[in-house]
Amino acid sequence: TMYSKELMQHFRKPRNQGRMENPDAVGKGGNPVCGDVMYIYLKIEDDRIEDVKFETFGCAAAIGTTSKITEMVKGKTLDEAIEVTKKDVEEAVGGLPPVKRHCSNLSASVLHKAINKYRSEKAKT
């Protein structure tokens, strides 16, 4: 197969999947080329990600990488979570075929969008 065992486990049994009621931040992103669309929802307490959920409409790699990134950042501070790179996600799922690397890029960028949105809203108050 072109996907690692780790990625397939996250695709078949995604962790933290679903919409979150009253999130503190939402990141949204998509890739017009492949049609993937991703939402990452964050519950934040004392600058720490208390809970994280996602909705991804897309291929196995998109769903698998988003599931994995939620596990990677749950419980982390916002400073720690914003440091998670697309390369970190790709390595955490055991690598991706070159044609699917945009999926890990998307999950990391959507996470960063959610954190940055939260921070900019908080700065206004």
Side-chain angles (χ1 to χ4, degrees), residues 60 87 106 115:
K87 191 174 186 317
L106 192 57
I115 292 169

Side-chain angles (χ1 to χ4, degrees), residues 2-3 34 36 59-61 65 96-105:
M2 57 186 220
Y3 296 126
C34 64
D36 292 341
C59 66
T65 55
L96 289 167
V99 70
K100 291 294 180 181
R101 286 209 179 107
H102 63 272
C103 300
S104 65
N105 298 359

Side-chain angles (χ1 to χ4, degrees), residues 34 37 39 46 51 82 102 107 115:
C34 64
V37 178
Y39 296 86
D46 299 325
D51 197 14
I82 202 105
H102 63 272
S107 62
I115 292 169

Side-chain angles (χ1 to χ4, degrees), residues 13-62:
K13 289 191 176 158
R15 281 45 150 216
N16 307 304
Q17 189 175 32
R19 185 174 296 240
M20 180 185 285
E21 292 298 315
N22 306 312
D24 294 313
V26 181
K28 179 187 180 212
N31 185 318
V33 175
C34 64
D36 292 341
V37 178
M38 249 170 228
Y39 296 86
I40 293 180
Y41 306 95
L42 302 175
K43 268 276 186 237
I44 299 162
E45 206 167 296
D46 299 325
D47 256 15
R48 186 173 293 278
I49 298 172
E50 286 296 312
D51 197 14
V52 55
K53 296 231 177 271
F54 80 95
E55 290 182 297
T56 294
F57 308 95
C59 66

